[in-house]
Amino acid sequence: MADEDDDIILSELDDEELVQQMHDDLYDGLKEEIEEGVNILLERGWQPYDVLTKALVGGMKIVGDDFRDGILFVPEVLLAANAMKAGMFILKPLLAETGARTIGRMVIGTVKGDIHDIGKNLVGMMMEGAGFEVVDLGINNPVEDYLEALEREQADILGMSALLTTTMPYMKVVIDSLVEKGLRENYIVLVGGAPLNEEFGRAIGADAYCRDAAVAVETAKTLMARKHNQLAAG
Ligand code: B1M
């Protein structure tokens, strides 16, 4: 695909063609082209959130489908992920600009055994954009890391991400640990990741399963407001 794309001048494409081309470029792991595409859309007045969801997340969905179907393999998917991250890097400060005051502090990390971090990073970015403070623990976190960070950061919210059916049960290990230590009620626990669903969130004792980053923000706001009301009521 790269050869035939050599002559394409991104700035000459209309919005729809450009988004389509960015999906192709993400698929091909073309980091610089993705950066250029993101900048062009922003210059054309696109909202950062729309660039993120339509051009980047939309493109990653195609990568995911072909990975699942054995058309793409780990090295290609890694390149696509790097290109996606480069685009997210440009959008991050712009998404954060919309936030005003701190409405809560969240510790977030991908669980032990799992190295997927794009979705988790996106949630962190959107939470910051909405006015939360976010402490990102990165990937492959054992229960001790979560517990230590929650205490150290005096966090309100624990966010956990898992993208593998083999790693999602680890979320329950973390929640059970909070229960055992009598700390569960101190935190709002939100979980997310492609293989999860609401039923799983309920079954492991999370406060909520969040389908995507926007839902994570809305859920965090609602549950924080409820927490403040409960505290005020004594
Ligand atoms: Co992986 N991988 N991968 N992978 N990978 C999946 C998850 C998979 C579904 C692909 C497939 O088969 N279709 C499959 C899992 C199958 C399963 O468990 N049922 C899979 C596999 C099998 C694997 C390996 C085992 C492959 C191998 O080695 N043979 C391996 C595992 C490594 C490990 O973790 N130990 C592996 C490796 C990799 C790469 C390293 C190549 C790369 C990760 C790079 C990186 O993250 N830095 C990768 C990628 C990129 C994917 C896919 C293609 C894309 C994931 C992604 O970034 N999506 C993925 C396919 C898919 O998901 N369809 C796949 C975009 C992102 C924006 O969406 O992460 O879902 P997502 O996040 C969303 C929501 O889920 C939610 O909000 C986000 C934003 O809207 N959300 C949260 C996520 N976390 C949240 C936390 C919250 C709230 C909401 O907290 C409050």
Side-chain angles (χ1 to χ4, degrees):
M1 208 178 275
D3 284 348
E4 78 202 31
D5 290 348
D6 279 350
D7 296 335
I8 294 174
I9 299 169
L10 296 181
S11 58
E12 289 179 355
L13 302 177
D14 68 29
D15 285 9
E16 201 178 317
E17 291 166 336
L18 178 55
V19 168
Q20 187 55 52
Q21 184 59 39
M22 287 173 73
H23 289 177
D24 289 350
D25 289 343
L26 196 71
Y27 194 94
D28 290 335
L30 301 177
K31 180 170 169 269
E32 282 167 20
E33 282 76 357
I34 288 298
E35 289 170 336
E36 190 185 342
V38 166
N39 283 324
I40 292 171
L41 288 174
L42 290 172
E43 278 159 22
R44 289 183 188 173
W46 275 51
Q47 291 301 312
Y49 183 69
D50 288 338
V51 180
L52 183 67
T53 50
K54 293 184 182 148
L56 299 184
V57 176
M60 204 57 181
K61 162 92 177 65
I62 304 166
V63 172
D65 289 349
D66 280 4
F67 189 31
R68 177 196 61 215
D69 297 340
I71 298 164
L72 286 181
F73 296 95
V74 171
E76 290 111 318
V77 178
L78 263 180
L79 282 177
N82 279 342
M84 168 116 184
K85 282 186 178 183
M88 282 164 60
F89 185 74
I90 298 172
L91 296 172
K92 184 173 177 176
L94 304 174
L95 288 164
E97 260 172 24
T98 52
R101 66 216 159 82
T102 293
I103 47 178
R105 183 173 291 177
M106 174 191 234
V107 161
I108 188 167
T110 304
V111 298
K112 187 175 169 183
D114 201 320
I115 62 169
H116 295 85
D117 67 354
I118 295 176
K120 183 255 309 157
N121 294 348
L122 223 159
V123 172
M125 277 164 53
M126 296 281 296
M127 292 288 292
E128 279 178 356
F132 287 86
E133 268 181 59
V134 176
V135 179
D136 187 343
L137 304 181
I139 55 173
N140 195 22
N141 284 287
V143 61
E144 298 78 19
D145 290 6
Y146 287 113
L147 296 181
E148 198 259 319
L150 286 169
E151 164 88 37
R152 184 187 66 231
E153 303 294 340
Q154 297 288 294
D156 304 292
I157 305 172
L158 166 62
M160 289 188 280
S161 179
L163 266 284
L164 299 171
T165 44
T166 49
T167 57
M168 58 192 241
Y170 195 77
M171 292 173 163
K172 183 164 182 333
V173 175
V174 179
I175 294 174
D176 285 352
S177 236
L178 286 173
V179 173
E180 272 164 31
K181 293 182 187 310
L183 298 169
R184 175 64 186 88
E185 298 312 315
N186 297 357
Y187 308 107
I188 294 165
V189 179
L190 305 181
V191 295
L196 280 64
N197 56 33
E198 274 192 56
E199 196 187 346
F200 175 80
R202 262 196 306 274
I204 63 170
D207 289 297
Y209 154 73
C210 307
R211 188 182 62 243
D212 59 30
V215 170
V217 168
E218 285 317 308
T219 309
K221 280 185 185 167
T222 307
L223 295 183
M224 278 302 293
R226 201 177 293 164
K227 187 174 170 178
H228 283 309
N229 288 342
Q230 278 165 358
L231 288 175

